[in-house]
Amino acid sequence: MFKLPLVSFIVTSYNYEKYILKTLESIKAQTYKNYEIIVVDDCSCDNSCKIVEDFISDNQNLRITLIKQDTNQGQFAAMIKGLNKANGQFVCFIDSDDVLCKEYAAVHLRVHLETSVAFTSCRIIEIGEEDEIHTLNSISSASNNECGILKQVQNDVNGIEILCDIPVKYKPLKHKRFGGWYWSPNSSAMFRKASIDILKYYTVPEKWKICPDKFVFNFANLIGGSAIIDAPLIGYRRHKNNACNCTQVTGNKKLHSDYITKINIKNNLKIRPETIKFLWQQRKKLGMRNVLYFIFKILI
């Protein structure tokens, strides 16, 4: 008898007491029920941990683990800590200020089971500090193509629910230049755990304290490819305390501040040498032939 795969939701948390309960409630509301939640708190100094502990106490029927970092180590270190704890065959790294639509896990899994890609990335809905919808067709999405007809948009206590026509459209990405950006932000993705498990051995996560999805997405795409789900399945929150606030969105234009431009330049310059160095360090685990093939793809 076949079994449904387990999905591990790894929620990385740092001083988002205003939003994290909505994030957890949106995971709880998933139509796909075979999941676990791992919250990694990166030494928050607000009430975040108490909110998570209360949520665990109120939902003892759910599989939830809270991991508290002793020091602030950055988001990528928290992602790796969660990855080490995850039991699922599929993994999602969820920012603790975003919310998931109820069909998020079910749609991602459906695409995974129809393909063999390392990860999938869906479109996003841009929301504000009070859950208000800014746009369903964000320029920060992986694709701006229409996905059928949006039958219903509902803003409720569990986040945003989007019901799209079936079947869901998706497209595998092919022949993309390593180091580019072709996907939606961090919470949009579901990974096959086997494709990124080796990242547990990455020893310098502090190099990706900001925007670690740049490294993780490109690495996973290098290992096993990706697919874009042409449906909005997450509420991506723009607010004054997150990195995306440094990107002003005006209509169909993104105006980066000098701060975020500097980060993007640094990330673009280091992603190739950092990835090649890590692959070379893992040549015994990956096999020399595979490592040389991946390095060739990075360079050529």
Side-chain angles (χ1 to χ4, degrees):
M1 180 66 67
F2 296 120
K3 295 181 179 179
L4 291 173
L6 177 68
V7 176
S8 297
F9 288 104
I10 300 172
V11 180
T12 53
S13 172
Y14 180 64
N15 287 348
Y16 279 166
E17 63 180 359
K18 181 178 179 180
Y19 306 116
I20 190 167
L21 181 59
K22 293 180 180 179
T23 303
L24 295 174
E25 290 286 359
S26 75
I27 298 174
K28 177 183 175 182
Q30 292 297 295
T31 58
Y32 186 83
K33 296 302 183 183
N34 192 23
Y35 63 82
E36 65 176 358
I37 304 173
I38 301 167
V39 181
V40 184
D41 185 85
D42 198 21
C43 201
S44 293
C45 54
D46 65 359
N47 204 36
S48 296
C49 283
K50 178 64 165 57
I51 292 171
V52 176
E53 289 167 348
D54 288 345
F55 182 81
I56 293 173
S57 177
D58 293 340
N59 294 276
Q60 296 186 23
N61 59 316
L62 300 180
R63 287 174 283 190
I64 314 174
T65 302
L66 172 61
I67 301 172
K68 298 180 183 180
Q69 301 270 57
D70 294 330
T71 58
N72 180 259
Q73 300 174 34
Q75 187 177 15
F76 192 25
M79 290 163 70
I80 293 173
K81 184 68 69 72
L83 189 61
N84 273 293
K85 189 71 174 179
N87 297 303
Q89 293 77 49
F90 295 90
V91 174
C92 304
F93 299 109
I94 308 299
D95 295 342
S96 58
D97 53 348
D98 293 339
V99 291
L100 309 184
C101 301
K102 293 179 181 179
E103 297 294 333
Y104 173 97
V107 173
H108 274 281
L109 272 176
R110 175 179 169 183
V111 176
H112 268 290
L113 298 180
E114 290 183 8
T115 67
S116 57
V117 294
F119 77 100
T120 51
S121 176
C122 65
R123 286 170 56 195
I124 66 173
I125 306 152
E126 293 217 14
I127 61 175
E129 295 190 20
E130 304 302 328
D131 301 335
E132 70 278 11
I133 298 173
H134 291 181
T135 179
L136 301 175
N137 195 26
S138 170
I139 59 173
S140 296
S141 278
S143 170
N144 286 319
N145 298 327
E146 292 184 5
C147 176
I149 301 171
L150 294 176
K151 291 181 177 179
Q152 177 183 350
V153 180
Q154 177 183 341
N155 196 355
D156 59 24
V157 69
N158 290 325
I160 297 174
E161 179 183 7
I162 299 294
L163 300 179
C164 294
D165 273 354
I166 300 297
V168 173
K169 299 178 183 177
Y170 63 89
K171 57 181 180 182
L173 288 183
K174 298 180 180 179
H175 311 300
K176 293 298 185 181
R177 178 178 59 87
F178 182 86
W181 186 255
Y182 315 102
W183 311 280
S184 298
N186 193 46
S187 301
S188 73
M190 178 182 285
F191 298 86
R192 291 182 188 273
K193 185 170 182 284
S195 69
I196 58 169
D197 231 13
I198 199 164
L199 290 177
K200 294 188 294 189
Y201 301 103
Y202 189 76
T203 58
V204 284
E206 63 273 10
K207 291 191 175 184
W208 301 95
K209 291 191 74 168
I210 302 176
C211 302
D213 47 357
K214 172 80 170 183
F215 175 68
V216 176
F217 283 35
N218 270 279
F219 182 86
N221 192 59
L222 176 71
I223 296 295
S226 59
I228 303 301
I229 299 173
D230 204 8
L233 297 172
I234 69 162
Y236 174 67
R237 196 183 303 276
R238 291 191 185 273
H239 58 91
K240 61 186 178 182
N241 295 322
N242 64 358
C244 71
N245 186 55
C246 298
T247 301
Q248 183 181 2
V249 177
T250 57
N252 63 353
K253 302 291 183 183
K254 286 191 293 186
L255 307 179
H256 295 306
S257 68
D258 290 342
Y259 169 73
I260 204 68
T261 298
K262 184 177 179 180
I263 290 174
N264 287 337
I265 291 172
K266 285 184 175 180
N267 285 348
N268 287 336
L269 289 175
K270 69 186 177 186
I271 190 167
R272 287 176 179 80
E274 273 299 308
T275 305
I276 290 172
K277 179 181 178 181
F278 176 66
L279 287 168
W280 188 253
Q281 291 170 342
Q282 305 306 317
R283 60 191 181 275
K284 289 185 178 180
K285 294 183 179 70
L286 291 172
M288 180 64 78
R289 179 184 176 186
N290 296 321
V291 167
L292 293 176
Y293 170 71
F294 292 141
I295 292 174
F296 177 81
K297 288 184 67 176
I298 292 171
L299 296 175
I300 304 298

